[in-house]
């Protein structure tokens, strides 16, 4: 257990000053020996070019997407100014949780929930909105799962005066009615996906009648809409390398804060959906590991219902169900995989960020799966002592952090555990209610279901 | 408008360090020449004694309630430790709002929403739970309006292992279903009020069939329950002097932060329901004014639908509809006044804290009323630039802060405006939706309605 001296030396919450805010995002690919494989044109199977991406994505974001050599991208002043509204995020020492668990482990978490979008998503949303505005666009389209990305993008677009059209995965749209209203406060237009508004939406509805949707479907619809609307581009809240790049602000702040207090994590844990928060948190630490300067253990936590790392194939695949996005080499359950409608809304994506997929394939990172009832039990335990009601997604990391801390209790090791608490669960109360009422079910896809999801893996 | 130098000198968010956290609450009464009138026993009309209060309230809280001479009460270490989990709260410079308004005014707000209860209420909840625990009690009962106090108390009770029974004003219970679930996560028992569980609840239901409830009703039910349950006491989230005492942590932190940066507010604005956040924010500044050390303008903002300061009588009245609490001398619409079921849930109380009532009667503070549609318009304007979705209650202060800033735009005055942003509106999305859909109505009680509310003012 921590001592009184330690409690004096290390505060509950470490806040950096504005001058300590990162001024550049860190591009982990620059330090990777095995670079992630290039994106391919879905039709020609050749590496995709900037020109081919330009009708869909913003120009400057394409540069960030494809650049795997420059280690740093300066953060524009306008974005730094916006960051100052809600960043630096606190790095919190979980004294109360440690005490409750009776563990000698020292637990830290980076809390990204102190902004109205309720999560880390705003870090990339503001960057993407900024580049869209700079390019003179009228608006952007996107998809959202749990609703956090959609809210974040709505906030960012409202700040820069851009239109924002959001396709929201149907099961989240129904589970989280208030999410839609928050987006509306910020002026966004929200449509449940699959819709009948797009060609791909109509096709998916016809093939899977009554489907509750998936991120893959919603992406396809948003991409199609961006191509059909004048002055619009498509922006994405996870999976892409550019998004992980923006999210490195999480890891960079965390590292600065830990260095300031002379703390070095032994194990770093993050939940994994598309991978952006996990990648953003671990990036600067992984960079040290890749450069041989330090060693850390990294654990990705994914829902057992959507196990991209642990049960997916590392192969080229479509990023969206409609197969209109470029192909990415990644850990994938197949673009035809439709995860069960459980409450890890933001983690229900069939694939995984290509950088993280490569790191996992190279044995530089571990991955585990957890069941949603044990996730909610951990969430509640955490909330009662740490005073933060966590999002279901974030609670995947909490569950494994608690498990690691309990192992330390058995062995007596004083490990330093760091995890990412990506957001708050205010809009997930239906899920908490279900858990309380004992009505929450766990889902594990069968091997057949996964094979079915992967039936259309492209032949590359 | 602010200059680049100013933006460099004063950060967007001022966070104090743990060592700068207040170590004592400030008892404003010690500096008042005209002390608030004593609480009276409702039956005998004589000043109430500690012994008479003991069956209802915790012993140490009674001491704090009645003591009008000691200027400071040390904050127990256990409470300071809990405060460190979510405090110090940031003092935010509203650069984005200033820019949007084009005002030369400098706007600051103290943001109390960065905790799961979503508001400042936790500051007093943890104190009251601590004293209940210290006294060896089994649990506490309370009422909640908007649900913020109930959530805060649930969190505090869960932390100290106390039972928590909450009577929630029926209209809020219906408007905010998720609030109930948050309280449940923290282990509380929640009942809509008026209920059929208590004698007073049954009586109110019989007299006002279909009533949507009020804080006054809910208080009566909670007090009755506390008296009937073994090892329980009643705790209250506002109105009482002890609550305002705990809330001075808001003003003390604010003053420390402003002093640190050499900033002096010209006008200090807070929303007023029972008065605890307003009183807590202004206390140290008002203390300076009372001691002749400085001068400030103070503005209490109340909903036009429940105008205790501006249209109430300054008189002894019952604190609850059931007339079982002590009498307090305060600005009151009468304990029979049942405000219209609008969305300023936390501001729907017929009375007002006795300290603030006395200050208002002595001309030391102003009060204004605002309509709920203009409040929501201000809330949305604020949310879009400052990135925080405010609670409807807090937005009353935002509305008047914006008005003051726009006056400065006309006169060119560079006034420093400080307001309290008491909480977030995540659980108020029905209200935002109603506003958006143009279905929100404004309510102004007639003189007859107020006279009816005051028909049972006690003869003292």
């Amino acid at each position: 257990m921590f001592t009184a001296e330690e409690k004096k030396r290390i505060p509950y919450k470490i806040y950096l000053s504005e001058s300590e805010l990162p001024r550049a995002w860190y591009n982990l690919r620059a330090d990777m020996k095995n670079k992630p494989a290039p994106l391919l044109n879905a039709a020609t199977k050749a590496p995709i070019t900037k020109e081919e991406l330009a009708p869909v994505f913003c120009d400057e974001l394409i540069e960030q997407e494809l650049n795997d050599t420059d280690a740093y991208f300066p953060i524009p002043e306008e974005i730094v100014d916006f960051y100052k509204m809600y960043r630096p995020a606190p790095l919190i020492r979980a004294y109360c949780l440690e005490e409750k668990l009776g563990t000698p482990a020292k637990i830290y978490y980076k809390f990204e929930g102190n902004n109205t979008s309720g999560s880390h998503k705003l870090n990339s949303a503001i960057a993407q909105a900024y580049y869209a505005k700079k390019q003179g666009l009228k608006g952007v389209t996107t998809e959202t799962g749990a609703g956090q990305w959609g809210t974040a993008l709505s906030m960012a677009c409202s700040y820069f005066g851009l239109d924002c059209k959001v396709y929201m995965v149907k099961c989240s749209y129904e589970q989280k009615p208030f999410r839609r209203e928050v987006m509306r406060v910020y002026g966004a237009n929200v449509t449940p996906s699959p819709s009948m508004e797009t060609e791909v939406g109509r096709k998916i509805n016809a093939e899977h009648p009554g489907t509750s949707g998936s991120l893959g479907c919603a992406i396809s619809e948003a991409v199609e809409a961006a191509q059909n609307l004048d002055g619009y581009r498509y922006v994405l809240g996870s999976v892409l390398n550019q998004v992980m790049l923006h999210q490195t602000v999480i890891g960079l702040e965390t590292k600065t804060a830990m260095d300031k207090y002379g703390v070095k994590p032994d194990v770093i844990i993050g939940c994994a959906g598309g991978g952006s928060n996990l990648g953003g948190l671990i990036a600067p630490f992984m960079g040290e590991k890749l450069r041989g300067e330090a060693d850390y253990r990294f654990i990705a936590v994914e829902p057992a219902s959507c196990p991209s790392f642990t049960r997916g194939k590392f192969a080229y695949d479509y990023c969206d169900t409609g197969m209109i996005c470029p192909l990415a080499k990644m850990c994938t359950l197949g673009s035809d995989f439709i995860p069960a409608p459980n409450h890890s809304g933001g983690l229900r994506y069939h694939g995984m960020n290509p950088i993280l997929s490569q790191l996992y394939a190279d044995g530089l990172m571990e991955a585990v799966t957890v069941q949603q009832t044990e996730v909610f039990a951990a969430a509640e335990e955490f909330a009662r002592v740490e005073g933060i009601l966590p999002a279901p997604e974030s609670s995947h990391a909490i569950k494994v952090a608690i498990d690691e801390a309990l192992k330390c209790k058995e062995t007596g090791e004083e490990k330093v555990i760091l995890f990412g608490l990506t957001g708050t669960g205010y809009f997930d109360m239906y899920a908490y209610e279900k858990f309380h009422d004992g009505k929450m079910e766990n889902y594990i896809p069968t091997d057949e279901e996964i094979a079915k999801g992967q039936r259309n893996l492209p032949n590359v």
Side-chain angles (χ1 to χ4, degrees), chain A residues 392-409:
Chain A
E393 294 84 359
S394 324
S395 305
H396 286 67
I398 295 175
K399 164 64 183 153
V400 173
I402 290 177
D403 287 348
E404 289 293 318
L406 291 176
K407 277 184 217 160
C408 290
K409 190 176 176 181

Side-chain angles (χ1 to χ4, degrees), chain A residues 317-352:
Chain A
D317 196 7
Y318 301 95
C319 292
D320 62 320
T321 312
M323 306 179 187
I324 53 180
C325 289
L327 303 179
K329 191 172 177 193
M330 57 183 178
C331 297
T332 178
L333 297 162
S335 64
D336 275 347
F337 182 80
I338 296 200
N342 67 358
H343 294 283
S344 54
L347 305 179
R348 299 171 70 250
Y349 181 65
H350 69 275
M352 186 53 63

